[in-house]
């Protein structure tokens, strides 16, 4: 678990500022959902926390430490994307192991961590398959497995369920919440889907045109005009 602090966070592309000073204090183990219309800056915000996008001004702190200049791999964070970004030519095992392998984790430890994650995600019987041989839900679980094996303190999700059909979306939503609780990780989750936001969030951040308009518990936020 880790706290995440965004302080007066700004992002400009060339002369255009698209994130205009966002302040959010996220507690250990809290589940934060970021909502808002397309183009309001949700992905950009998440990518700055991940270190995939440079911060133009302000700070990202993880457990109180400024990480603006820390590489993504060294932030104790893992990100799950909407398109899964699985390697098609690699098996499920290899997909989950890849990040650990390039980080130099010893082989026996890789095997143990992948097998633990596979058990947790009910993928034990699929470790030898390629992504194209899996259902959408299973692919999404592989993407989560790849994040879990690194034992990050913070999980970032960018619309992870938007490519799934409605029924699977509901199931995977529950699985994500259970997993987050069980692992005790802090979560930042971007979505368009209000039901997803309502059911997952401890607190919601409503973004609008690069500004965090409202921050609060879902019922608080939706009760406001
Ligand atoms: P959202 O995730 O809420 O849909 P984004 O974070 O993707 O919004 O985008 C926020 C704004 O920043 C948009 O106006 C988008 O066009 C702009 N933007 C995002 N990435 C870039 C980029 N690499 N170069 C220029 N503008 C960008
Ligand atoms: P999203 O699904 O978050 O809305 P987009 O389709 O807006 O994503 O953006 C996809 C990619 O294109 C991202 O990497 C984003 O940074 C980049 N991008 C978005 N808007 C622009 C832009 N105006 N100029 C250059 N790159 C952009």
């Amino acid at each position: 678990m880790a706290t995440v602090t965004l302080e007066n966070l700004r992002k400009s592309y060339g002369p255009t500022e698209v994130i205009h000073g966002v302040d959010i204090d996220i507690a250990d183990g809290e589940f934060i959902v970021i909502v808002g219309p397309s183009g309001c800056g949700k992905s950009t915000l998440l990518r700055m926390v991940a270190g995939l996008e440079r911060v133009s001004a302000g700070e990202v702190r993880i457990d109180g430490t400024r990480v603006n200049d820390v590489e993504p791999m060294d932030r104790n964070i893992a990100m799950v994307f909407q398109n899964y970004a699985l390697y098609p030519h690699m098996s499920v095992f290899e997909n989950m192991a890849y990040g650990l392998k390039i980080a130099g984790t010893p082989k026996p430890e890789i095997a143990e961590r992948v097998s633990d994650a596979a058990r947790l995600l009910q993928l034990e019987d699929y470790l030898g398959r390629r992504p194209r041989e899996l259902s959408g839900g299973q692919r999404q679980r592989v993407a989560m497995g790849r994040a879990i094996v690194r034992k990050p303190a913070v999980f970032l999700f960018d619309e992870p369920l938007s490519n799934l059909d409605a029924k699977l979306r509901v199931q995977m939503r529950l699985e994500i919440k259970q997993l987050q609780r069980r692992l005790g990780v802090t979560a930042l989750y971007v979505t368009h889907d209000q039901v997803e936001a309502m059911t997952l969030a401890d607190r919601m951040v409503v973004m609008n045109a690069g500004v965090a308009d409202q921050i609060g518990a879902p019922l608080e936020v939706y009760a406001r005009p």
Side-chain angles (χ1 to χ4, degrees):
M1 292 206 282
T3 61
V4 178
T5 308
L6 312 185
E7 189 176 288
N8 195 19
L9 199 60
R10 291 171 188 273
K11 178 66 185 180
S12 300
Y13 291 109
T16 312
E17 191 178 78
V18 298
I19 304 282
H20 308 292
V22 167
D23 292 281
I24 309 173
D25 262 314
I26 303 168
D28 255 352
E30 194 172 23
F31 203 122
I32 295 281
V33 178
I34 303 173
V35 297
S38 187
C40 70
K42 303 182 295 296
S43 285
T44 303
L45 197 72
L46 209 64
R47 293 167 61 84
M48 284 197 284
V49 177
L52 299 173
E53 200 78 70
R54 233 171 36 79
V55 167
S56 301
E59 265 188 19
V60 177
R61 291 198 291 273
I62 297 174
D63 266 341
T65 303
R66 183 185 197 270
V67 295
N68 289 36
D69 304 314
V70 175
E71 291 297 316
M73 288 293 285
D74 299 325
R75 288 190 183 200
N76 206 5
I77 267 177
M79 191 154 172
V80 179
F81 298 95
Q82 112 178 216
N83 56 9
Y84 322 133
L86 300 179
Y87 301 107
H89 59 290
M90 290 186 195
S91 68
V92 168
F93 180 95
E94 289 164 334
N95 265 285
M96 292 211 267
Y98 187 69
L100 296 175
K101 200 171 154 191
I102 57 175
T105 308
K107 268 190 181 169
E109 190 176 342
I110 293 180
E112 189 182 327
R113 288 204 203 180
V114 170
S115 126
D116 285 349
R119 194 169 326 115
L120 199 63
L121 294 161
Q122 297 161 317
L123 288 169
E124 290 158 296
D125 298 336
Y126 300 90
L127 286 170
R129 300 220 189 160
R130 315 259 161 213
R132 68 165 178 279
E133 301 170 294
L134 303 178
S135 71
Q138 288 169 332
R139 283 179 211 174
Q140 187 49 270
R141 288 200 199 98
V142 178
M144 289 199 276
R146 204 167 43 177
I148 288 171
V149 295
R150 296 181 45 213
K151 302 195 176 181
V154 182
F155 266 12
L156 306 180
F157 297 95
D158 194 353
E159 309 228 15
L161 307 183
S162 57
N163 287 342
L164 303 179
D165 66 47
K167 194 172 154 215
L168 202 51
R169 242 182 354 246
V170 173
Q171 185 192 331
M172 293 306 293
R173 194 171 81 208
L174 290 171
E175 288 188 21
I176 285 177
K177 185 74 178 183
Q178 281 169 3
L179 203 59
Q180 184 260 350
R181 285 280 178 257
R182 188 169 331 168
L183 299 175
V185 292
T186 306
L188 260 90
Y189 188 107
V190 164
T191 183
H192 279 106
D193 185 323
Q194 300 219 335
V195 180
E196 234 170 87
M198 286 288 287
T199 44
L200 288 172
D202 294 320
R203 283 190 301 157
M204 283 173 61
V205 176
V206 182
M207 288 202 53
N208 205 348
V211 174
D213 256 355
Q214 301 182 55
I215 304 176
L219 288 174
E220 249 169 71
V221 167
Y222 285 118
R224 261 172 241 169

